[in-house]
Amino acid sequence: MNLFMLVLGGKPEGRFTEQHDVFFGIANELKDLVPYMNSFWPALEGKMHIDSWRKVTRVGNYEVRIVDKSETKATNGLKLFFVNLGGYKPNDMEEYHYKTLVVANDLAEASKIAKESTFYKHYESSHIDDKYGIDVDDIYQIEDLLQAEFKQKYQLQYEIAEDTVEDRLEVGYLKISKLLAS
């Protein structure tokens, strides 16, 4: 099984611009997540697309493993965090975001690591969502973002990686219908 991180997009009824959200799920293949994506964002069922995605196997110096809860062994106390940094450029109306994953022992350590990112250092008023500075309310432990079915069956584990291979980030518009046809 694999942990997937997706940026979903679509234009819900009554909106003027495309909206986005991040979705995390566990499956063998990306297409196996479609029913979970629909239940995650029901207003976009049939109108949703994927803007980017990655199979999460490596975060920083750690290998990410999915373990069946029935085979669970003791954990090392590490956790995987999703951090959504936001920032502005002078004379630009857009708020830019940088989505990152961090393996850390706790929220304070995850915040510190996120503050070391190039994005954080180069944007004005870098913040997470509406708050200036890094605020623990806007950093999420991945286990808290997974749907109940995933949490009941699987546990995430982190071990020091022996290689330096980074996860491949798949970027570009992917229609759900095309994904299901593959």
Side-chain angles (χ1 to χ4, degrees):
M1 299 300 280
N2 301 291
L3 174 64
F4 289 92
M5 175 181 176
L6 295 80
V7 174
L8 302 176
K11 192 162 79 172
E13 192 169 323
R15 299 293 175 204
F16 299 116
T17 60
E18 184 175 308
Q19 311 288 294
H20 296 92
D21 207 345
V22 177
F23 172 81
F24 292 90
I26 297 172
N28 282 317
E29 295 183 50
L30 185 61
K31 67 182 177 182
D32 298 337
L33 292 174
V34 172
Y36 299 101
M37 294 179 331
N38 288 330
S39 67
F40 171 74
W41 204 347
L44 285 183
E45 187 169 346
K47 300 180 273 185
M48 182 185 317
H49 63 270
I50 298 170
D51 281 305
S52 61
W53 64 276
R54 81 184 249 201
K55 189 185 301 185
V56 181
T57 62
R58 168 91 184 238
V59 174
N61 295 326
Y62 294 94
E63 181 179 349
V64 177
R65 293 187 180 170
I66 309 301
V67 179
D68 190 292
K69 277 207 169 175
S70 66
E71 302 170 13
T72 300
K73 60 181 182 178
T75 65
N76 54 11
L78 293 170
K79 299 168 185 70
L80 181 60
F81 294 89
F82 165 69
V83 184
N84 184 32
L85 294 169
Y88 301 95
K89 292 182 181 181
N91 299 313
D92 190 337
M93 191 175 269
E94 189 68 36
E95 176 187 355
Y96 295 91
H97 289 92
Y98 178 71
K99 295 159 182 52
T100 189
L101 298 176
V102 174
V103 173
N105 288 298
D106 54 36
L107 287 169
E109 184 181 3
S111 296
K112 182 181 179 210
I113 293 168
K115 285 182 178 179
E116 295 168 0
S117 74
T118 302
F119 179 91
Y120 189 84
K121 294 175 183 174
H122 287 93
Y123 279 79
E124 292 188 7
S125 302
S126 294
H127 69 281
I128 297 179
D129 290 338
D130 274 340
K131 300 174 181 141
Y132 292 100
I134 295 209
D135 184 350
V136 296
D137 290 339
D138 298 316
I139 298 175
Y140 302 98
Q141 192 174 327
I142 296 299
E143 283 89 351
D144 294 339
L145 300 179
L146 291 171
Q147 292 176 336
E149 299 100 81
F150 301 130
K151 289 192 261 191
Q152 291 167 357
K153 291 181 184 179
Y154 306 106
Q155 179 177 330
L156 304 175
Q157 292 190 339
Y158 318 99
E159 297 178 16
I160 295 290
E162 295 183 16
D163 60 35
T164 58
V165 178
E166 294 287 327
D167 289 338
R168 180 182 168 135
L169 182 59
E170 303 289 342
V171 179
Y173 189 93
L174 175 58
K175 287 184 175 184
I176 302 298
S177 59
K178 184 176 180 182
L179 176 64
L180 291 173
S182 63

